[in-house]
Amino acid sequence: MEAFRRHTGIGVPLRRSDVDTDQIIPAVYLKRVSRTGFDDGLFAAWRAHEDFVLNHEAYRHGSVLVAGPDFGTGSSREHAVWALLDYGFRVVISPRFGEIFRGNAGKQGLLAAQCTQDDVESLWKVLETQPGTKVTVDLSEQTVQAGDLTVLFTIDSYTRWRLLEGLDDIALTLQDMQEINEFEARRPSWLPTTAMPAGRPPSR
Amino acid sequence: MGRTLAAKVWDAHVVPRGETDHTGAGGEAPDLLYIDLHLVHEVTSPQAFDGLRLAGRPVRRPDLTIATEDHNVPTADIELPIADEVSRTQVETLRRNCAEFGVRLHPMGDVEQGIVHVVGPQLGLTQPGMTVVCGDSHTSTHGAFGALAFGIGTSEVEHVLATQTLPLRPFKTMAVNVRSRDGSLPAGVTGKDVILAVIARIGTGGGAGYVLEYRGNVIEQLSMEARMTICNMSIEAGARAGMIAPDTTTFDYLAGRPHAPTGTQWDAAMQYWQSLHTDADAVFDAEVHIDADALTPYVTWGTNPGQGLPLSERVPDPNQITDEGERLAAQKALSYMDLKPGMPLRDIAVDAVFLGSCTNGRIEDLRAAAAVLAGRRVRDGVRMLVVPGSMRVRAQAEAEGLHEVFTAAGAQWRSAGCSMCLGMNPDQLAAGERCASTSNRNFEGRQGKGGRTHLVSPLVAAATAIRGTLSSPSDLS
Ligand code: SF4
């Protein structure tokens, strides 16, 4: 994963709450088996409307999305994060995120920055009165700056550290292999395995 | 101090505790949690297997991993190749990956194939006190057994495949107390109505960060099926997981299932299982109380599962909602749903009825709906799909003759899969169509682009199919 320290790009005001992952990328776009190329599905239903924010020239090349509360709720699909990244977003700001979405974002290097509702309102105002405003998001300082406005954001410290260092979770865990082996040796023998139980026909 | 059910299961699975301060900012590394069972399906796994291949890593514990085909599969003509090329590729990719990495797979046409959250419990693989994950948010279903079960993203799927663990922070705990005078639910009220009422109460974000533990005399009297329906929709309240302490209902359900322990192993397991309840002096981070005597059948009117009301009410007037965000959301929802404030919910006419999904696609759900439909007809102009949650459920229903009730009523009897719950297969709503659905999400376009969804219980689904407007069995003459 690429390290994330600071990013500057056009801010996009998405005045909506409860943006669930079905809205971020509808199910019909989930059929690919690759990890890229999901940008065409991003907000697919909304992008069909001319007045959707990303269809305005000033916001089209945005990379910092500022959304209402409960962004990324619903389905666990990581495709939502891939679609945002593939489109060019590096940061999503919201007063509250769906939990799985926030976890997925952290794994993929998309910064999910939590700001207060009031700060989101202030950011929306700046981005709407001056479309195309560049926003700078600094992860070490935990600040968002748009024009004269600077607000703070929160992020859990472990995710922040991993993003700053660009660390791969699996490699980190593999360092604990000794302990995983020991744990496995202690597991009770009655716990089930998925091995086909005796006396039953194998599946076709 | 005593511990909650969730804390007990958590503690029993911590490999190393996350103590190291990597951050230098006072932050803590997460715990590393061991995963007892990993369920896999075709949509969220291809990129994870790819990741393994790229890194040259094997699946660490194929014997704790099981896969089934559910999201994409057609539910009619299943002996034919999948017509949609992209769906077919995804299913074939899963087959290739499972063969290459040695993972047990129940493919289309297999007797054990079905929706991943129906298959796990029915095989007896989901047991109390386990940690269960799947690249699917409704993994919370398995919490009905007192397991800690939650949905994960594809990166985490890869992480579990590679290491059988996940780095995680403990969830906060919320008690959801559901009580009535004698522990029963009013006539016509089901587990689905309970959970819709809970979500309407705490909101779609109300459970964020929490594992919800459902408790109280009503929960104690519910069947495993109804408990699964409730835990299934915990995620719709934003929660990571839902849990219910195991009891004799749980043990009776498990006994004799293919993967349940037997003999002395069963006894040893029982010892652990019986310790799995929240201690009397344990403290939850939050608590809510639901008076079940006051519950009536619930339906949703909007585009998130929190936008629900008793069926006897009217479509709400956004102007009377004080919270600005909620008002805006309600306005948008009503315009998408094409509903006018003040209209009685019972007058809303539907084009389709969907009975199925991991929420309400189990045998008990089919029985309940069949009992309402018996001797009656689905109203002209309404199409009703009955999609069993698994091929086992389908076989059981056929053994009981339920399929004949459905087909005699004019409903379509299908093979197992997610089907119209999310419309990845050909079972979709057309734009503008309205559906009463026993599934769990009424998001815009969830059942097909432009489709409109009202979430309901199997009883309401069946009565609605007959009358053509949102109805409960008590509305039938
Ligand atoms: S039935 Fe619906 S909610 Fe359940 S796993 Fe399938 S798509 Fe997800």
Side-chain angles (χ1 to χ4, degrees), chain B residues 335-366:
Chain B
S335 118
Y336 181 86
M337 294 294 287
D338 191 27
L339 294 172
K340 296 269 168 306
M343 180 182 187
L345 293 170
R346 273 201 170 81
D347 290 355
I348 297 175
V350 302
D351 306 293
V353 173
F354 171 60
L355 176 62
S357 87
C358 60
T359 314
N360 281 125
R362 297 184 175 78
I363 188 68
E364 193 178 272
D365 303 312
L366 301 195

Side-chain angles (χ1 to χ4, degrees), chain A residues 34 78 108 184 194 204, chain B residues 34 47 60 63 104 155:
Chain A
S34 66
E78 196 158 314
Q108 292 297 319
E184 282 182 334
T194 56
R204 281 184 287 137
Chain B
Y34 197 83
Q47 295 86 356
R60 180 176 167 80
D63 62 330
R104 170 173 163 194
S155 293

Side-chain angles (χ1 to χ4, degrees), chain B residues 113-419:
Chain B
Q113 178 267 339
I115 306 172
V116 66
H117 309 308
V118 178
V119 169
Q122 127 194 322
L123 284 171
L125 280 168
T126 305
Q127 297 175 16
M130 289 173 61
T131 45
V132 180
V133 298
C134 173
D136 188 281
S137 56
H138 294 99
T139 311
S140 58
T141 312
H142 307 261
F145 291 79
L148 183 63
F150 49 92
I152 56 178
T154 297
S155 293
E156 290 170 308
V157 170
E158 183 183 338
H159 196 285
V160 176
L161 288 173
T163 70
Q164 204 59 32
T165 64
L166 270 183
L168 282 170
R169 291 261 163 68
F171 310 136
K172 290 181 287 179
T173 56
M174 183 187 294
V176 180
N177 301 295
V178 188
R179 294 186 181 280
S180 70
R181 248 165 291 131
D182 60 0
S184 65
L185 285 171
V189 176
T190 67
K192 183 64 162 284
D193 306 296
V194 171
I195 188 62
L196 285 174
V198 169
I199 300 166
R201 166 82 71 81
I202 67 176
T204 50
Y210 291 97
V211 40
L212 310 184
E213 185 186 330
Y214 303 95
R215 312 152 51 80
N217 59 359
V218 168
I219 303 295
E220 286 160 20
Q221 290 196 24
L222 289 178
S223 66
M224 281 318 295
E225 265 102 344
R227 293 180 189 184
M228 285 190 255
T229 301
I230 290 178
C231 287
N232 173 277
M233 289 190 70
S234 305
I235 180 77
E236 310 311 335
R240 272 318 285 274
M243 290 181 100
I244 293 172
D247 57 13
T248 44
T249 306
T250 323
F251 308 142
D252 290 349
Y253 180 97
L254 269 169
R257 297 210 172 246
H259 289 271
T262 53
T264 52
Q265 295 282 48
W266 173 272
D267 300 337
M270 269 296 249
Q271 250 193 349
Y272 173 56
W273 295 348
Q274 283 171 333
S275 72
L276 293 171
H277 50 78
T278 294
D279 295 327
D281 57 342
V283 180
F284 290 95
D285 299 306
E287 289 214 42
V288 291
H289 298 274
I290 303 288
D291 171 12
D293 285 315
L295 290 180
T296 56
Y298 248 73
V299 299
T300 61
W301 50 267
T303 52
N304 74 53
Q307 292 173 323
L309 278 173
L311 175 61
S312 53
E313 303 257 342
R314 290 163 184 270
V315 175
D317 182 354
N319 292 325
Q320 291 181 2
I321 300 176
T322 42
D323 181 275
E324 196 196 326
E326 267 178 47
R327 183 169 59 242
L328 217 65
Q331 272 162 357
K332 283 195 169 122
L334 290 190
S335 118
Y336 181 86
M337 294 294 287
D338 191 27
L339 294 172
K340 296 269 168 306
M343 180 182 187
L345 293 170
R346 273 201 170 81
D347 290 355
I348 297 175
V350 302
D351 306 293
V353 173
F354 171 60
L355 176 62
S357 87
C358 60
T359 314
N360 281 125
R362 297 184 175 78
I363 188 68
E364 193 178 272
D365 303 312
L366 301 195
R367 284 183 192 136
V372 176
L373 280 164
R376 295 191 166 104
R377 291 278 309 167
V378 173
R379 194 183 169 94
D380 281 346
V382 175
R383 76 177 189 283
M384 180 175 190
L385 256 70
V386 184
V387 184
S390 71
M391 289 311 268
R392 280 257 176 249
V393 170
R394 182 179 150 101
Q396 174 71 27
E398 290 188 345
E400 295 177 20
L402 303 184
H403 63 308
E404 279 158 10
V405 174
F406 291 125
T407 48
Q412 304 174 29
W413 177 243
R414 296 296 191 88
S415 291
C418 295
S419 177

